Amino acid sequence: MTTAKPLRVGMVGYAFMGAAHSHAWRTAPRFFDLPLDPQLTALCGRNDDGVRAAAGKLGWGSVETDWRRLLERDDIDLIDICTPGNTHAEIAIAALDAGKHVLCEKPLANSVAEAERMTEAAQAAALRGVLSMCGFSYRRTPALALAKRMVEEGRLGNIRHVRAQYLQDWLSDENAPMTWRLDKSKSGSGSLGDIGAHSIDAAQWVTGQKITGVSALLETFVHERPLAGDLVGLGGHGDVRADAPRGTVTVDDAAIFTARFDGGATSAGAVGVFEATRFALGRKNAMRLEVNGTKASLAFDFEEMNVLSFYDAAESPDAGFRRIFVTEPEHPYVGHWWPTGHGLGYEHGFTHQVVDLVTAIGAGEQPSPSFADALQVQKVLAAVEASAAESSRWQKV
């Protein structure tokens, strides 16, 4: 039993991200001592049968089929937005104006203009004690959080290189069916915004430096896909009959860009190389980040998410990288879970996200990443698209 004041959550969307967020809201107060008690009060989706089935499965107390009803309810304190990007701005701004805290999935919006309006609304709401956060969940992976700690402690020295990749293969089959993620009007972009945004945020967050300019290339490999078929995970098997209708892919399948960083407060800016694709056969969720400094280097790959590779030039110049198993109680977040050596999984990042959000709301402090932080990522995404549209011409952020 808890005596903490309830934090009553209304969530919009119940597919992949909705399931991950639901698990996090349920789990966080059972492993962490929180200042507020999250309650899964209402789940919202457009399909009545679908949202009711999801609410029963995921543990929500009631349902709505119009997100505006959540804003009218006195028993909702926070709106969690797990919908496609084209809906984020309208829902988030209305929720903040209604006095509801907001957690919004990344990328923040489908355009810089939308993200700017959301940031303005968030900053105005914060003056009234209404707080908001964007859901870049990889920040809450213990190994990446440890990487950031090492950079802040000065163990890498001045940062010279940033190398970031996000490689998946679920779209490699040219007959995988169309989904909203392949429609620019709903998703904003393809691999760039869907997964590249995570790499941009992680690189800026770990290094403490912002990207100031880019030179980019975007590529679409498959221009049409079946409109019908069987969805399996994010992809699936499309209807390949000769007369089966096909839809036009309007987003990038791969994004590659070089970048310069501003150097933060203490050093000259680093240079970076980024790659995002959902066509890298054999790579299931290879979200990778390597940072090279004047004293040391670190490397992370989410496919081995409990490991951080670290090389200290002074400590072991001939030994190469050593593997740090990020399962010790002194490592970020880990002490609340299992004994040393018992690793964590994908879902734990979302739980840690809830922990950090609820802790910040309880303290009346701005959660991180803020909408302003997410706006910076949105500006990088826009600069990448602008550069690619102009034959990779250098584009300032």
Side-chain angles (χ1 to χ4, degrees), residues 31-112:
F31 286 84
F32 293 77
D33 294 326
L34 301 180
L36 301 169
D37 180 28
Q39 297 181 0
L40 285 69
T41 301
L43 180 65
C44 181
R46 290 173 297 178
N47 181 283
D48 186 69
D49 290 339
V51 72
R52 289 185 184 280
K57 182 177 182 180
L58 300 174
W60 292 86
S62 63
V63 301
E64 298 288 355
T65 55
D66 185 339
W67 59 265
R68 295 168 185 84
R69 284 283 301 123
L70 295 177
L71 308 192
E72 298 168 358
R73 290 177 54 161
D74 294 333
D75 62 343
I76 300 293
D77 303 307
L78 181 147
I79 301 296
D80 186 353
I81 304 171
C82 296
T83 54
N86 63 312
T87 66
H88 288 184
E90 182 181 15
I91 298 173
I93 292 171
L96 291 167
D97 288 346
K100 313 293 187 185
H101 305 299
V102 171
L103 170 61
C104 182
E105 257 302 321
K106 64 82 224 163
L108 187 61
N110 277 5
S111 70
V112 170

Side-chain angles (χ1 to χ4, degrees), residues 164-167 191-192 195-197 199 252-256 274-278:
Q165 295 178 312
Y166 203 146
L167 312 177
S191 59
L192 174 62
I195 54 180
S199 293
D252 59 280
D253 287 329
I256 302 170
F274 290 75
E275 179 184 10
T277 180
R278 300 175 293 198

Side-chain angles (χ1 to χ4, degrees), residues 174-176 178 222 224-228 239-248:
E174 64 183 16
N175 289 311
M178 280 287 296
V222 178
E224 289 188 340
R225 290 185 177 275
L227 290 175
D239 186 343
V240 296
R241 292 175 298 174
D243 60 346
R246 301 180 76 87
T248 301

Side-chain angles (χ1 to χ4, degrees), residues 192 196 200 211 213-217 255-259 272-275 380 384:
L192 174 62
I200 294 165
I211 294 173
V214 299
S215 174
L217 175 69
I256 302 170
F257 64 95
T258 55
V273 180
F274 290 75
E275 179 184 10
V380 177
V384 169

